[in-house]
Amino acid sequence: MTVAVKPVADPAAKAVVDDLVKRGRDAQKIFEKCDQARVDEAVTALAWSLYNPAHAKELAELAVKDTQLGNVPDKIIKKTRKTFGTLRDLLRVKTVGIIEEDKKRGIVKYAKPVGLVCAITPSTNPGATPVNKAMMAIKGRNAVIIASSPAGMKTTGKTVDYMRAELKKIGLPEDLVQILPPPASKDMTQALMQAADLVVATGSQDNVRRAYSSGTPAIGVGTGNVPVIIDETADLDSAAEKICASKIFDNSTSCSSENSVVIVDAVYDKAIAALEKVGGYMASAPEKAKIQAALWPDGKLSRTLIARDADVLAKGCGLPAAAESKKFFMVEETGVGRDFPFSGEKLALVLTVYRAKDFDAAAQKARDILEHQGKGHSVGLHTKDMARGRKLAEETDVVRVLINQAHTFANGGGFDTGLNFTLSMGCGTWGGNSITDNLNYTNFLNITHLVTTIPEDKPSEEDLFGGYWKKYGK
């Protein structure tokens, strides 16, 4: 199949990229000869470059200053927790030589590098995501060049400096990790995507679409807009605490942050009271109108209010003084779709509240929300009835269904769940993605299959067609 690829308009941009690519490929050719112990040493070096408390603090402060998104304490937690968890996952797996042997099928699998990776990273996580992707790429004995969001360029540049310094310290080529130089440009990113062996895009859906249309094999992730259901069997206080902790983490910059909560009628008032008890502020109808006007001036999310502290958001929306001391803000909604902006992803400390007559109605409302935005990503349920969790998983087109969990902390990997640690969540074809999993090391490997003969495994025609012939005839 022939793919039409848009040419790079700026020759100067291509020249810069060509130089980085050559250096990256030269470094990768050296690195691919390393054994598993040396590879794991490199992965650990990258992890330490960010987990180092001094670096984590410095980069968190720079990220908030650089992007005006999130808050410093939570960014420190995000950087260290995600890095620690990812390192745990990566050190437990093999990516050099034989990684699997199935004697019954006569197949032996050998892991090979994909080569040079183009990693597109977002402004919401300009320090954590570059390291996360670099660790996974290096685990596969690849080189990586990072294309940073313009808003997070200073932070990402410093992050890459620290990764390169750690690689140099252990005697490996620094050029295993590089970054496109400022000023960031679409032409430069386009040139890199076309020159790389694999593109991994996290961030805007425009970036994801461009990655998939680059002509290079690509992995993109989808839009988050997580709805969470509270049913009548739920522990309301526990649900409220988890929703609050997750919603306010890093001022809702995470794609896994709860954007809507759907509460069944039988416990609606009690659930709202529990959410207010943990710091939620229920906006009146006039206050809801003020929030909408401030958060979506000219129909687009306000860059001056998204991912800001609660008091800043309250003042910016013209809410009363009593609201400024709250942790997050609730607005009641009934509709879903383009005419109801609160039904979409907000990247702000605003939680949309829906009321449903029963669990089935709540599940349908959650599906309606995801159909509008966030399809494929995830949904949550607070319940004591696991049959409902299974029903939700069977009937909802999402990759992840989380039960009784704080979404932001569990969706991208947790120490009490089996999901891989990551900062990039695949959403399947539902979300326009090629993966239905958390981005992980396997996405950065090529696999060679050594195939030997086995005793013949050929059933008879009757074994395969018998049932069909009996029912329908030959």
Side-chain angles (χ1 to χ4, degrees):
M1 183 178 73
T2 301
V3 178
V5 178
K6 180 181 177 182
V8 178
D10 184 0
K14 187 176 185 304
V16 171
V17 169
D18 286 347
D19 178 62
L20 294 176
V21 168
K22 182 182 184 305
R23 288 160 51 189
R25 291 198 182 282
D26 288 345
Q28 192 271 326
K29 287 299 180 185
I30 296 170
F31 186 52
E32 71 178 351
K33 297 179 175 66
C34 290
D35 62 15
Q36 189 69 70
R38 186 62 163 153
V39 169
D40 287 348
E41 196 170 61
V43 173
T44 305
L46 297 189
W48 177 245
S49 75
L50 183 60
Y51 192 80
N52 181 324
H55 293 176
K57 182 175 184 293
E58 176 191 358
L59 292 170
E61 292 172 343
L62 183 57
V64 173
K65 180 181 178 181
D66 201 6
T67 66
Q68 300 296 304
L69 301 173
N71 64 76
V72 171
D74 287 348
K75 285 196 181 295
I76 293 174
I77 293 172
K78 182 185 295 184
K79 285 171 170 53
T80 54
R81 181 177 177 273
K82 288 286 189 180
T83 302
F84 189 88
T86 301
L87 182 62
R88 180 205 69 176
D89 292 346
L90 295 180
L91 292 183
R92 289 177 175 176
V93 294
K94 191 176 181 184
T95 57
V96 178
I98 297 173
I99 59 171
E100 184 181 338
E101 187 169 4
D102 188 336
K103 293 182 179 179
K104 185 177 180 180
R105 295 174 63 214
I107 293 176
V108 181
K109 296 182 181 181
Y110 294 78
K112 308 283 182 67
V114 299
L116 182 71
V117 177
C118 163
I120 300 174
T121 61
S123 60
T124 48
N125 297 307
T129 299
V131 174
N132 192 261
K133 287 186 176 181
M135 288 172 67
M136 294 179 190
I138 292 298
K139 180 70 179 184
R141 291 179 292 163
N142 306 294
V144 60
I145 301 176
I146 294 164
S148 170
S149 161
M153 177 66 77
K154 291 180 182 177
T155 304
T156 305
K158 190 68 175 176
T159 300
V160 170
D161 287 345
Y162 282 137
M163 286 193 280
R164 288 170 61 86
E166 287 298 319
L167 290 172
K168 183 178 181 179
K169 185 168 74 176
I170 66 171
L172 284 174
E174 297 171 79
D175 287 340
L176 286 171
V177 180
Q178 300 178 86
I179 183 173
L180 292 182
S185 73
K186 289 188 176 182
D187 266 353
M188 201 176 289
T189 301
Q190 184 72 23
L192 176 58
M193 289 194 293
Q194 292 175 9
D197 298 301
L198 174 69
V199 180
V200 184
T202 305
S204 73
Q205 289 307 289
D206 178 61
N207 281 340
V208 172
R209 285 189 291 270
R210 288 175 60 234
Y212 279 126
S213 63
S214 66
T216 299
I219 297 171
V221 296
T223 302
N225 184 30
V226 176
V228 174
I229 298 167
I230 300 177
D231 77 8
E232 72 277 11
T233 73
D235 181 329
L236 299 182
D237 288 334
S238 176
E241 289 171 359
K242 289 170 181 173
I243 290 170
C244 174
S246 177
K247 181 63 184 174
I248 68 175
F249 185 75
D250 203 23
N251 294 353
S252 291
T253 57
S254 171
C255 65
S256 297
S257 175
E258 288 87 340
N259 272 279
S260 301
V261 59
V262 187
I263 307 171
V264 300
D265 187 72
V267 292
Y268 185 86
D269 292 337
K270 290 181 179 179
I272 294 298
L275 287 165
E276 289 177 327
K277 182 180 177 182
V278 295
Y281 178 87
M282 177 59 80
S284 64
E287 290 169 344
K288 175 186 173 184
K290 288 183 178 181
I291 295 172
Q292 180 171 331
L295 199 54
W296 286 278
D298 303 320
K300 295 182 179 180
L301 280 170
S302 167
R303 287 287 302 181
T304 62
L305 290 180
I306 60 171
R308 298 303 175 91
D309 292 341
D311 61 334
V312 174
L313 182 60
K315 290 175 183 176
C317 293
L319 299 181
E324 295 177 18
S325 62
K326 299 297 182 178
K327 296 179 180 179
F328 64 99
F329 310 97
M330 298 181 286
V331 295
E332 292 181 300
E333 185 59 273
T334 57
V336 175
R338 296 185 65 178
D339 294 333
F340 303 92
F342 286 108
S343 66
E345 187 178 36
K346 293 168 280 294
L347 293 173
L349 296 172
V350 178
L351 181 68
T352 309
V353 180
Y354 292 90
R355 187 170 191 151
K357 66 177 182 178
D358 54 25
F359 170 74
D360 287 339
Q364 185 57 54
K365 181 64 72 175
R367 286 190 285 272
D368 292 343
I369 292 167
L370 290 166
E371 193 65 40
H372 165 54
Q373 189 180 46
K375 189 174 182 180
H377 197 286
S378 51
V379 67
L381 171 63
H382 292 274
T383 186
K384 293 177 183 174
D385 185 352
M386 267 307 299
R388 288 181 170 177
R390 290 187 287 271
K391 181 178 174 64
L392 193 62
E394 289 170 359
E395 299 178 355
T396 309
D397 291 339
V398 292
V399 171
R400 291 155 289 266
V401 178
L402 271 58
I403 307 300
N404 299 326
Q405 296 173 63
H407 233 86
T408 298
F409 304 123
N411 219 25
F415 296 108
D416 59 354
T417 74
L419 291 173
N420 293 316
F421 274 89
T422 191
L423 282 144
S424 304
M425 270 71 75
C427 300
T429 58
W430 303 306
N433 303 160
S434 58
I435 60 172
T436 55
D437 202 352
N438 287 359
L439 184 75
N440 63 85
Y441 77 98
T442 64
N443 301 122
F444 297 84
L445 296 176
N446 281 321
I447 305 295
T448 294
H449 295 69
L450 174 64
V451 184
T452 57
T453 57
I454 58 175
E456 187 176 68
D457 180 16
K458 183 181 180 181
S460 69
E461 287 184 340
E462 180 64 31
D463 289 334
L464 297 184
F465 290 104
Y468 182 84
W469 287 339
K470 186 176 180 180
K471 187 173 182 180
Y472 298 105
K474 291 188 178 180

